[in-house]
Amino acid sequence: MSRLRVLLPFGLLIAFWWAIKSGFDISDKLLVAPPQVWSSFRVLIGHGILAEYVSTSLSMIGIATLVSFAIGVPLGFAVGTNRYAARALEGFLRYLQGISGIAWLPLAILWFGFTHTTTLAIVIYTLIVPIIFNTMTGVRAIPENYILALQSLGASRLRIVTDVYFPGALPSIVVGTRLGMGYGWRALIASEMLVRQGGLGDLIFGARTFGQIDRIMVGMVIIGTLYIVVDRLLVQPVETMTLARWGVLRK
Amino acid sequence: MIFSRVAWKLLPAAPAFVILTAWFVYWLVVRPPPSVIPSIADVVRTGAELAFGGRLLGDFIASMGRLLGGVAFGIATGMIMGFVAGVCRPVATFLNPLVVFFNAISGIVWLPLVIGWLGVGNALATFLIWNTVFFIIFQNTVLGIQLVPEVLEQGVRALGGGRWETIRTVTLPGALPYILSGVRSGLGFGWRALIAAELVGATTGLGQLIFSGSEYHRADIIIFGALLIGAIAMLMDRWLLAPIERRTVVRWGLVAASRGR
């Protein structure tokens, strides 16, 4: 039943798409029929081309997430636990959120050329701002009484960090990471389109140069599917888990 | 005491001050080529030239026009579709998988395909913004309508209100705060999508301004443009959207105003 619920809308959509394609006799340069997309998919799979593009993109977003997490979380803690630092940086971070990573892409190209470094720099920038921001808000939302209580019981600074700050801020950190990965994935695709050094963005933008609509559509389906798989199967369960386990502190 | 109060007031300016100082010192000591890191004076001069030369105003108007068009279209279609899906559950169930999927590829991912349909220009940028904004508005509208307590709707109906009257007096005002939160974040996302779309999909606009900066190795133009893009985003959010949200969400909302995003 639930499988039908998912398949039926897509089935109808594909039928609609096919009907438009053959009904209006649209040129292959604008839209291709579903079977052409399928055969293009099989060609790309068969030669291992798709695997290469996918692994480039996935490793990029993976590296960027790890780096942003490793830098952003400690920085967010430092900012969040110090009210002077928080006041100094809050407005600045908000301002940076308004400049999307892609707006720095031209500058990154001047600095690092058309390389993976450029793409990584853009994706890390996009990811790290929401992580810092959410870590900071998470830390600041912790009731001060919890910290005072532990202090009065003689807990060390480290103990307070591991027992109060970290679990207290964790749900917010996870939310920030998930948001950041969503923004980062889109920035990655956009950056790959312009940098043209592999990855799914390169696949679809490169296919455009040769008018291979079938490849573009395969790429789009893969981009969407990968995002859903990573977000729903990997990140969302972590979020639900942390929220259920430690989320109480946010209220 | 007075000193510390002044310091507290000035604190938000500290990051800008630190960055400008570091930039200035780096530039004095290392003397990098201006195509990599320009001097602060260069950036200011370029900004003034662009602003008074008229190019900037043209790009600004082009970008704003696309943003307004795409966002308005996104709000209109998102609200209508979201309203239908919110009131009629089977429609929501049917659309949900499609919305999840197309939301995952919303915006810039469409560029290579749609550039063949619409060509480079306003239509393409507007489409990409619409595509980004639509899903945010749609999801917020559906959520808002579904979260209106059924008791309130039944109350109006029990007092003799028709279906349309119930929708007009209860469902829509109840959903409004969610819809407006959607409008606020939709505009933010639309702005990002616009800049990305203009990098390749337009010949004018602020995105094109900074992209042309990289073609001519003019880091000063890029830095000025990026800072301006951030400033516009911040001003739009602060002066336009935050007040609207305060007036409505805080007044009618069942939840406290969301913290800015």
Side-chain angles (χ1 to χ4, degrees):
Chain A
M1 185 58 204
S2 75
R3 187 175 290 173
L4 184 73
R5 255 185 210 166
V6 175
L7 289 182
L8 182 70
F10 283 106
L12 284 177
L13 181 76
I14 291 171
F16 180 65
W17 157 24
W18 207 341
I20 286 189
K21 163 74 186 161
S22 49
F24 290 90
D25 198 24
I26 295 170
S27 140
D28 274 356
K29 290 216 164 72
L30 294 178
L31 190 69
V32 294
Q36 283 165 278
V37 174
W38 176 246
S39 65
S40 172
F41 174 69
R42 293 187 51 180
V43 169
L44 284 171
I45 286 269
H47 297 316
I49 306 169
L50 191 63
E52 203 178 309
Y53 281 112
V54 166
S55 67
T56 307
S57 286
L58 281 184
S59 59
M60 282 293 206
I61 192 84
I63 295 170
T65 307
L66 288 180
V67 172
S68 310
F69 199 82
I71 302 174
V73 171
L75 212 62
F77 267 103
V79 177
T81 49
N82 181 321
R83 70 193 186 100
Y84 294 100
R87 178 160 169 88
L89 281 171
E90 193 170 343
F92 182 64
L93 286 173
R94 251 181 227 287
Y95 176 65
L96 283 189
Q97 275 190 326
I99 313 178
S100 54
I102 213 69
W104 293 115
L105 186 67
L107 192 64
I109 290 177
L110 281 189
W111 286 358
F112 309 117
F114 291 89
T115 60
H116 283 314
T117 316
T118 298
T119 304
L120 262 185
I122 297 304
V123 180
I124 290 173
Y125 168 86
T126 311
L127 253 155
I128 206 167
V129 176
I131 292 183
I132 298 176
F133 204 85
N134 277 276
T135 307
M136 183 182 90
T137 24
V139 169
R140 291 180 72 203
I142 297 171
E144 216 190 342
N145 282 349
Y146 292 8
I147 296 144
L148 294 177
L150 251 75
Q151 268 174 346
S152 70
L153 291 171
S156 65
R157 229 188 134 70
L158 181 71
R159 194 71 203 276
I160 291 173
V161 169
T162 57
D163 282 12
V164 181
Y165 282 131
F166 196 68
L170 202 56
S172 182
I173 295 173
V174 175
V175 169
T177 311
R178 187 175 174 203
L179 269 177
M181 284 177 79
Y183 302 154
W185 181 244
R186 205 144 295 164
L188 173 73
I189 303 295
S191 171
E192 283 171 348
M193 282 189 197
L194 286 162
V195 172
R196 304 294 309 275
Q197 294 287 326
L200 289 162
D202 186 11
L203 172 73
I204 58 175
F205 203 71
R208 207 204 83 70
T209 330
F210 302 106
Q212 295 163 310
I213 303 295
D214 47 349
R215 271 196 188 198
I216 297 181
M217 294 181 89
V218 172
M220 288 171 72
V221 173
I222 300 289
I223 289 169
T225 313
L226 277 179
Y227 176 77
I228 294 171
V229 167
V230 171
D231 188 61
R232 296 275 156 133
L233 299 183
L234 242 67
V235 186
Q236 202 179 28
V238 177
E239 183 182 297
T240 321
M241 206 180 72
T242 44
L243 279 177
R245 172 76 179 76
W246 290 297
V248 211
L249 280 177
R250 291 183 92 203
K251 297 201 169 136
Chain B
M1 199 60 208
I2 290 169
F3 174 75
S4 73
R5 205 174 299 157
V6 170
W8 182 253
K9 275 250 166 70
L10 289 178
L11 219 43
F17 181 74
V18 170
I19 288 175
L20 286 176
T21 314
W23 180 1
F24 183 69
V25 171
Y26 180 84
W27 202 82
L28 270 188
V29 176
V30 184
R31 295 259 162 202
S35 65
V36 177
I37 296 182
S39 69
I40 296 174
D42 273 350
V43 173
V44 174
R45 199 177 310 124
T46 304
E49 267 168 29
L50 287 170
F52 294 115
R55 157 110 212 241
L56 192 64
L57 189 67
D59 283 329
F60 175 74
I61 291 173
S63 288
M64 278 301 172
R66 289 170 193 146
L67 183 73
L68 278 183
V71 169
F73 197 42
I75 291 174
T77 50
M79 267 182 71
I80 293 171
M81 296 272 289
F83 178 75
V84 173
V87 176
C88 181
R89 243 172 217 282
V91 176
T93 321
F94 176 79
L95 286 179
N96 188 42
L98 293 178
V99 167
V100 169
F101 179 74
F102 283 100
N103 187 30
I105 55 168
S106 65
I108 196 70
V109 182
W110 282 90
L111 186 122
L113 184 64
V114 177
I115 210 170
W117 297 350
L118 300 174
V120 167
N122 285 336
L124 175 65
T126 310
F127 172 85
L128 294 176
I129 297 167
W130 165 78
N131 192 273
T132 307
V133 174
F134 172 81
F135 293 100
I136 299 166
I137 305 286
F138 176 84
Q139 284 169 328
N140 273 278
T141 309
V142 173
L143 189 72
I145 287 180
Q146 286 180 348
L147 284 179
V148 173
E150 221 172 319
V151 184
L152 300 179
E153 288 166 345
Q154 283 164 351
V156 175
R157 304 207 71 165
L159 292 170
R163 187 171 168 81
W164 174 241
E165 199 171 359
T166 317
I167 287 171
R168 196 173 54 83
T169 54
V170 180
T171 317
L172 275 186
L176 200 61
Y178 284 91
I179 298 174
L180 285 164
S181 299
V183 170
R184 186 177 178 188
S185 51
L187 202 66
F189 277 94
W191 183 242
R192 286 153 199 261
L194 169 79
I195 301 302
E198 284 180 345
L199 286 185
V200 261
T203 48
T204 52
L206 296 170
Q208 191 55 42
L209 176 78
I210 54 174
F211 193 60
S212 70
S214 96
E215 275 175 350
Y216 302 123
H217 291 264
R218 289 286 301 272
D220 49 345
I221 293 184
I222 304 175
I223 292 176
F224 174 74
L227 295 178
L228 183 70
I229 285 167
I232 294 173
M234 198 150 103
L235 292 182
M236 276 196 308
D237 195 66
R238 184 162 294 177
W239 287 345
L240 198 70
L241 297 164
I244 293 177
E245 191 173 271
R246 255 202 310 279
R247 289 233 176 110
T248 53
V249 175
V250 178
R251 191 166 153 205
W252 292 313
L254 308 166
V255 287
S258 70
R259 276 193 249 168
R261 164 151 328 286

